Amino acid sequence: EIKKKMTVKEFLIRYNAILILAALIIISAILSPVFLSTQNIFNLLRQNTPIMLIAMGMLLVVLTGGIDLSVGSTVALSGVITALTAGKLSEAGIMPMESAVVLGMILAVIVSIGIGLFNGFLLTKFKMPSFIITLGMLNLLYGVAAVISSGFPVTTLPSWYSVFGAGSIGGILPVPAGFLVAVFIIVLIILKYSRFGRAVYAVGGNPESARLSGINVNKVKTSVMMIVQACCAISGILLSSQVMSGTFSFGRGWEMTAISAVIIGGASLAGGRGTASGTFLGLLFLGIINNAM
């Protein structure tokens, strides 16, 4: 088999995202002597991890040809649920706040997955566009978060809770970065080596062909909706841990940032094309621009 040599033009097209990112890093390092400092790099990871987690889940949704605009509101609702559960249970004397917050985190994840399941149900049962479903859910969830928090930040959280958003592993790696690495590896393995990952690509490429091949298209679409919402719950927990409160205004505009990262990373809104590494580079690109500015 004769391998054709890659031309300069083909090289630039294939690796354009990496080359642009490298150029951005070099320019930022020249303009700011502290840009490549360890502290700034870790701050970059810590600040962008919550959105990166959402982008990884959003990638799966986009690969199936869908979209989820409700992710930012789920982030807000998850933080509020966690803080409220910890406060209410401790005030009622049912359990101390230190352990009640764990139950709050579990409840936030369960509620978020339930939201994803409901979105998937409307999408597959009634054939409603995911754009319309999640746009409505975006406003609904922000409203629910505002009502149950009475419009104020909920600060009933134990001191140890800050470890998720502000702690470090071994005094070096920020804990949020650890969550990011774990989710990135999981999504990478799912898309590259699992049957579910192949089904996701197939559904996004041609739903009818995927159905005829024996793939449960509705199940795949619902599953990715649930996964992205679970990522939102983790993101909301990390964000509320960073500021030690649950606020109904968290996550506003994050849906566009997450979608932008997926598209910059080479995914197609039509579905069937995109990678976890590309999405990571896309969000890193956006994060570095904000950090440099």
Side-chain angles (χ1 to χ4, degrees):
E1 184 180 353
I2 301 175
K3 291 185 178 180
K4 182 182 176 182
K5 286 187 177 181
M6 186 184 300
T7 65
V8 175
K9 182 179 179 180
E10 289 172 340
F11 177 83
L12 292 176
I13 292 174
R14 178 174 296 184
Y15 300 106
N16 58 356
I18 297 176
L19 294 173
I20 294 173
L21 181 60
L24 182 62
I25 292 173
I26 293 171
I27 293 171
S28 301
I30 293 173
L31 294 177
S32 174
V34 299
F35 178 77
L36 291 178
S37 66
T38 303
Q39 182 178 358
N40 188 58
I41 292 173
F42 285 163
N43 283 339
L44 181 67
L45 289 173
R46 182 179 286 109
Q47 292 166 4
N48 288 279
T49 288
I51 306 180
M52 285 184 177
L53 294 176
I54 297 173
M56 286 298 155
M58 185 70 74
L59 171 64
L60 298 177
V61 177
V62 170
L63 284 175
T64 61
I67 201 168
D68 192 337
L69 299 178
S70 67
V71 291
S73 56
T74 303
V75 169
L77 183 61
S78 298
V80 169
I81 287 176
T82 301
L84 272 180
T85 302
K88 295 298 183 182
L89 291 180
S90 61
E91 288 173 9
I94 297 175
M95 63 175 67
M97 188 183 297
E98 287 72 18
S99 54
V101 72
V102 177
L103 188 60
M105 289 188 286
I106 295 172
L107 181 60
V109 173
I110 292 174
V111 170
S112 299
I113 292 175
I115 292 169
L117 179 62
F118 182 69
N119 288 343
F121 172 75
L122 295 179
L123 175 66
T124 57
K125 183 70 174 178
F126 299 102
K127 307 301 178 185
M128 296 173 64
S130 58
F131 184 96
I132 300 299
I133 297 169
T134 56
L135 181 62
M137 192 62 71
L138 166 72
N139 296 295
L140 174 63
L141 296 181
Y142 270 129
V144 171
V147 169
I148 64 176
S149 65
S150 300
F152 292 97
V154 184
T155 58
T156 48
L157 293 165
S159 58
W160 74 264
Y161 183 68
S162 64
V163 70
F164 291 114
S168 60
I169 302 172
I172 302 176
L173 183 68
V175 171
F179 278 95
L180 173 61
V181 171
V183 172
F184 172 72
I185 292 175
I186 291 171
V187 173
L188 187 68
I189 292 174
I190 287 175
L191 292 179
K192 275 197 169 186
Y193 305 108
S194 74
R195 179 181 297 179
F196 178 74
R198 291 190 292 273
V200 167
Y201 280 110
V203 169
N206 191 318
E208 184 60 22
S209 295
R211 186 186 66 80
L212 294 174
S213 299
I215 296 173
N216 190 327
V217 175
N218 289 345
K219 185 177 180 181
V220 171
K221 288 185 175 182
T222 302
S223 296
V224 296
M225 284 292 187
M226 294 168 67
I227 291 172
V228 70
Q229 289 292 323
C231 289
C232 292
I234 299 173
S235 177
I237 290 169
L238 292 179
L239 185 58
S240 64
S241 174
Q242 287 178 358
V243 299
M244 288 301 286
S245 72
T247 306
F248 77 94
S249 60
F250 278 167
R252 288 197 181 275
W254 282 17
E255 57 279 350
M256 296 310 300
T257 303
I259 295 169
S260 298
V262 173
I263 302 307
I264 291 173
S268 170
L269 279 175
R273 189 180 55 149
T275 62
S277 55
T279 297
F280 182 84
L281 288 175
L283 196 47
L284 197 59
F285 177 83
L286 295 175
I288 289 176
I289 288 179
N290 290 330
N291 184 264
M293 291 300 104

